[in-house]
């Protein structure tokens, strides 16, 4: 039974009003955001290295040295002389050896074998890192609300990438068909998915770097037009990456080494030499390199438009992000020209591919900040 209060009782002695508790948006749903972010950053680093090693594997013509797909037992390399001879015999049976590499001895084969084995081994390590991290956080119930499907998506894409990798290699493991390389369109699919996976990881890392409350508030200041332009730039850059894979797949970068002309002409004379005509889109070195060049010019022109719009952003960090992306794109175009002029030597071509990864992430960063801008006060606080 409640007691009576005196009419002279101080107001301050009355029951205290409930106090608002900040951070309720994140309460019960934040999970181990910091730890998951670190795990994803490790995954990002390995995928980055995987793309670089994959490029070197292609540039050194090592991709067909392992002629079988053994997801588990393939992790064990040849352990003795008999094993090495058996692997070499399998390679000697395919067209690449019969047509292009008959000069190879076992010692030469070991070099390209280790490149391909290392590439596949990295894929296994990445899958293991994902599985250990995902199930660790899942069993400990530390995954933030709504993030389980996103993290599962990374695992599913990684599994698909392994299958597509073999689908790509299988196109070149032939006997009597005259194939000495993998199908260029399959190579483009394989590389394209690698960039998609890297893009998702990078986006998730950026999101986990800020609290849900911060993201919800920042979303109100979204620069919609700039976000749309940066999305277009992202897709345009992805198209150019796929075209670059087609160039690499048929060594088209070594077919015409003059610039800005191609064989002394604006349009290469050997553009349409294959029948049926559509094969030229994938297999004609002249046409494939021409399309890659022209797309690069158009991409640069569009990037100028996006960059000029990005410079007008109300947020300094967003401005800087677009400046960085445009600088990387400009450098990439110059490096692309150098790659062609010097007939795509390995050390220049791999830098060109690695810079494409950096450019991809910088465009993603600019796009993210146009969607979730970071407000900076006049005092810089």
């Amino acid at each position: 039974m409640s007691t009576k209060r005196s009419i002279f009782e101080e107001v301050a002695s009355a029951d205290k009003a409930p106090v608002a508790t900040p951070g309720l948006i994140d309460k019960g749903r934040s999970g181990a955001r910091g730890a998951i972010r670190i795990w994803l950053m490790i995954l990002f680093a390995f995928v980055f290295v995987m793309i670089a090693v994959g490029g070197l594997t292609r540039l050194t013509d090592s991709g067909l040295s392992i002629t079988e797909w053994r997801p588990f037992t393939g992790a064990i390399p040849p352990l003795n002389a008999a094993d090495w001879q058996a692997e070499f015999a399998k390679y000697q049976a395919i067209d690449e050896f019969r047509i292009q590499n008959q000069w190879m001895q076992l010692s030469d084969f070991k070099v390209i074998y280790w490149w391909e084995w290392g590439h596949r081994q990295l894929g296994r390590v990445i899958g293991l890192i994902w599985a250990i991290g995902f199930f660790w956080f899942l069993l400990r119930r530390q995954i933030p609300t709504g993030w389980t499907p996103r993290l599962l998506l990374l695992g599913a894409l990684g599994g698909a990438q392994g299958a597509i990798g073999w689908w790509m290699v299988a196109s070149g493991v032939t006997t009597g068909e005259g194939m000495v390389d993998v199908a260029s369109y399959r190579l483009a699919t394989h590389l394209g998915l690698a960039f998609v996976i890297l893009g998702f990881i990078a986006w998730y890392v950026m999101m986990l770097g800020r609290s849900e409350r911060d993201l919800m508030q920042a979303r109100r200041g979204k620069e919609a037009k700039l976000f749309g332009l940066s999305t277009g730039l992202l897709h345009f850059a992805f198209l150019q990456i796929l075209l670059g894979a087609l160039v690499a797949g048929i060594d088209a970068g070594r077919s015409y080494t003059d610039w800005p002309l191609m064989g002394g002409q604006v349009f290469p004379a050997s553009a349409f030499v294959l029948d049926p005509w559509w094969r030229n889109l994938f297999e004609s070195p002249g046409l494939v390199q021409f399309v890659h060049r022209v797309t690069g010019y158009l991409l640069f022109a569009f990037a100028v438009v996006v960059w000029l719009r990005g410079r007008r952003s109300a947020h300094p960090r967003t401005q800087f992000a677009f400046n960085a992306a445009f600088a990387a794109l400009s450098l990439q175009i110059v490096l692309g020209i150098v790659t062609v002029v010097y007939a795509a030597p390995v050390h220049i071509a791999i830098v060109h591919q690695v810079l494409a990864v950096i450019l991809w992430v910088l465009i993603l960063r600019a796009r993210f900040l146009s969607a979730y801008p970071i407000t900076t006060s006049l005092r810089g606080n």
Side-chain angles (χ1 to χ4, degrees):
M1 185 174 178
S2 61
T3 57
K4 294 182 179 181
R5 294 181 177 178
S6 169
I7 61 173
F8 302 105
E9 184 177 359
E10 293 288 342
V11 175
S13 65
D15 295 337
K16 293 183 178 180
V19 179
T21 304
L24 288 179
I25 292 175
D26 294 313
K27 187 175 181 180
R29 58 184 297 178
S30 60
R33 295 177 72 90
I36 292 175
R37 187 169 185 258
I38 292 173
W39 165 58
L40 290 178
M41 290 171 71
I42 294 172
L43 203 59
F44 177 92
F46 271 88
V47 174
F48 182 94
V49 173
M50 181 75 165
I51 293 175
V53 172
L56 287 169
T57 301
R58 172 68 194 94
L59 290 167
T60 55
D61 286 324
S62 304
L64 299 178
S65 57
I66 301 178
T67 60
E68 297 174 325
W69 190 40
R70 295 174 293 168
F72 300 104
T73 59
I76 304 174
L79 300 176
N80 52 53
D83 290 344
W84 277 113
Q85 286 294 343
E87 288 296 322
F88 190 30
K90 294 173 185 176
Y91 179 67
Q92 289 174 310
I94 69 173
D95 291 330
E96 183 180 73
F97 177 84
R98 291 172 176 269
I99 298 173
Q100 185 172 284
N101 292 334
Q102 286 192 16
W103 57 271
M104 275 191 174
Q105 301 296 318
L106 180 59
S107 58
D108 303 304
F109 169 72
K110 287 182 178 180
V111 174
I112 63 173
Y113 181 93
W114 283 122
W115 271 114
E116 175 63 9
W117 182 85
H119 183 54
R120 296 191 186 192
Q121 198 70 2
L122 264 176
R124 294 183 177 98
V125 171
I126 290 171
L128 192 60
I129 291 173
W130 173 84
I132 291 174
F134 176 76
F135 288 107
W136 170 265
F137 292 117
L138 181 67
L139 294 175
R140 292 171 62 89
R141 298 183 178 179
Q142 292 182 317
I143 298 178
T145 301
W147 276 86
T148 300
R150 295 171 179 170
L151 302 182
L152 266 176
L153 175 64
L154 295 179
L157 291 176
Q161 180 72 324
I164 289 174
W166 172 247
W167 175 64
M168 175 190 69
V169 171
S171 67
V173 180
T174 62
T175 301
E177 298 179 21
M179 291 290 293
V180 296
D181 290 304
V182 300
S184 60
Y185 67 90
R186 297 191 187 191
L187 175 64
T189 303
H190 189 54
L191 182 64
L193 183 55
F195 272 80
V196 169
I197 293 171
L198 196 74
F200 273 118
I201 296 174
W203 191 267
Y204 294 163
V205 167
M206 287 184 275
M207 291 191 71
L208 289 170
R210 296 161 69 175
S211 67
E212 287 289 340
R213 179 172 177 269
D214 183 22
L215 290 174
M216 290 183 68
Q217 291 179 340
R219 194 180 297 123
R220 299 172 185 170
K222 176 179 178 180
E223 298 178 277
K225 184 175 181 180
L226 190 55
F227 179 77
L229 286 171
S230 58
T231 300
L233 182 63
L234 185 72
H235 292 162
F236 207 157
F238 185 70
L239 173 63
Q240 180 69 335
I241 288 166
L242 295 181
L243 292 173
L246 292 180
V247 170
I250 58 174
D251 288 325
R254 294 166 178 160
S255 58
Y256 288 90
T257 57
D258 55 332
W259 184 86
L261 301 177
M262 297 181 68
Q265 301 178 203
V266 173
F267 190 76
S270 63
F272 291 95
V273 294
L274 302 175
D275 289 317
W277 68 268
W278 56 264
R279 286 181 56 200
N280 293 283
L281 298 174
F282 303 99
E283 301 175 29
S284 169
L287 183 60
V288 170
Q289 190 190 134
F290 176 79
V291 172
H292 188 52
R293 288 190 185 195
V294 172
T295 304
Y297 304 147
L298 295 175
L299 174 61
F300 180 76
F302 182 64
V304 170
V305 175
V306 178
W307 172 59
L308 292 175
R309 181 63 182 81
R311 291 183 62 192
R312 289 159 47 196
S313 171
H315 308 284
R317 294 194 185 185
T318 304
Q319 293 177 18
F320 181 82
F322 279 91
N323 287 338
F326 182 71
L329 177 60
S330 301
L331 179 60
Q332 178 72 333
I333 289 177
V334 172
L335 189 57
I337 295 171
V338 172
T339 302
V340 165
V341 171
Y342 285 92
V346 172
H347 61 287
I348 297 179
I350 192 59
V351 174
H352 188 50
Q353 180 166 316
V354 169
L355 185 55
V357 179
I358 295 172
L359 172 61
W360 177 248
V361 175
L362 289 176
I363 294 174
L364 275 168
R365 176 65 176 168
R367 180 175 182 264
F368 179 81
L369 287 176
S370 64
Y372 303 98
I374 298 175
T375 303
T376 305
S377 68
L378 294 177
R379 296 181 179 180
N381 296 328

